[in-house]
Amino acid sequence: MSRRSRTAAVIDRELRTLVRTRSLLAVAGAFAVVVIAVAGGAVGAPGGYVSLTLDLLTVVEVLVPVLAFGVVYRSIRGDADRSELDVIRTYPVSRAEYVGGVYLGRTFGVLAVVAASLGVAGVLASFASPSAASFLATHSAGDSPIVFVRFVALAMGYALTVSAVIIAASAAARSTREALAVGVTLVVAVAVGIDLAIVGLLSGGAVGGSLDVLLGVSPASAFRGLVVELAVAPALASPPPIPAASPTVSLLGLAGWTAVSLGIAVLAVWR
């Protein structure tokens, strides 16, 4: 069996697990309900896709880590608790193949929920009031479905990074309780904790540097900065008032978090 086939077998196993686990389906359903409810509340309001993107930005920023936690945190730790990991180790599958398969399978579930929920939200936005809002640009780069498509793509990239962080915790934890504790801590840190720490260090003079660069170190701020700069800003007549991280630093930050987290998972999954 080739490396690709072995990884595909792990992916298929994880997808089957997701479909059979009711608690995971409940987490996915709760995420979808919140996103669609926010979008439904915007129906009839001016601003269209730009307004919807801004309305959903904080919601997605906070809830994607929660969704990823619910879907991913017990993936590798659960296999270890059920002694399935010991059985898997007897097969000709490497640590990287196993972690890669688990990551891709679980993250596919996260991405499917994010894409489907935001897709429904985008459809609802098409029923919003067509009247122009004062903050929209008057040229062709103004409000359009492209704004929301970019937002969805960036949200999925954010989900890839957060899922990698959670899977590292699942691989490194020595018990389900530890995986739960570390996972919750990481969710809080990714969603708000790192941002607050950076702002606190800057305001206290403990570190130097530009805010738009330092914010790119935080996954949530990196995602926010990319949305503001690449999706929202082109549709506005004037620069957005939201402080945004540098797009280049944000992309590097998200890529770095993903790569380092997966590396930790590969090293920690078994010794």
Side-chain angles (χ1 to χ4, degrees), residues 2-270:
S2 67
R3 175 176 295 184
R4 181 177 299 179
S5 299
R6 292 193 293 267
T7 302
V10 178
I11 293 173
D12 180 70
R13 172 179 178 268
E14 295 304 317
L15 291 176
R16 292 177 183 273
T17 300
L18 290 178
V19 173
R20 294 195 304 264
T21 307
R22 294 182 179 180
S23 59
L24 300 183
L25 295 177
V27 171
F31 176 88
V33 167
V34 174
V35 169
I36 294 171
V38 171
V43 172
Y49 295 103
V50 172
S51 290
L52 179 62
T53 297
L54 294 173
D55 287 342
L56 287 175
L57 179 56
T58 302
V59 174
V60 171
E61 186 179 313
V62 173
L63 291 188
V64 162
V66 176
L67 172 65
F69 170 77
V71 174
V72 175
Y73 94 97
R74 287 206 62 193
S75 53
I76 294 176
R77 186 63 251 166
D79 284 347
D81 289 342
R82 295 187 298 271
S83 299
E84 293 180 14
L85 195 56
D86 293 331
V87 176
I88 292 172
R89 293 177 62 180
T90 65
Y91 290 95
V93 56
S94 68
R95 293 185 294 181
E97 291 164 351
Y98 170 70
V99 170
V102 173
Y103 170 69
L104 292 175
R106 294 282 175 151
T107 305
F108 179 84
V110 176
L111 295 180
V113 175
V114 172
S117 302
L118 293 178
V120 174
V123 172
L124 291 175
S126 65
F127 297 103
S129 171
S131 58
S134 59
F135 58 80
L136 292 182
T138 57
H139 50 78
S140 59
D143 185 56
S144 75
I146 298 299
V147 173
F148 197 71
V149 169
R150 290 174 180 172
F151 172 62
V152 174
L154 293 170
M156 294 175 73
Y158 179 50
L160 286 170
T161 297
V162 177
S163 295
V165 172
I166 301 300
I167 207 169
S170 183
R174 292 169 294 181
S175 67
T176 299
R177 179 176 296 180
E178 184 174 315
L180 178 62
V182 174
V184 170
T185 301
L186 287 174
V187 167
V188 174
V190 168
V192 295
I194 300 176
D195 285 6
L196 294 177
I198 290 174
V199 173
L201 290 173
L202 283 172
S203 62
V207 296
S210 175
L211 181 62
D212 65 340
V213 172
L214 290 174
L215 285 177
V217 176
S218 164
S221 287
F223 164 65
R224 187 188 318 120
L226 290 171
V227 171
V228 171
E229 294 294 333
L230 302 183
V232 175
L236 301 182
S238 59
I242 305 173
S246 163
T248 301
V249 176
S250 297
L251 288 172
L252 291 175
L254 291 177
W257 276 96
T258 304
V260 170
S261 297
L262 291 177
I264 291 172
V266 170
L267 292 174
V269 65
W270 64 67

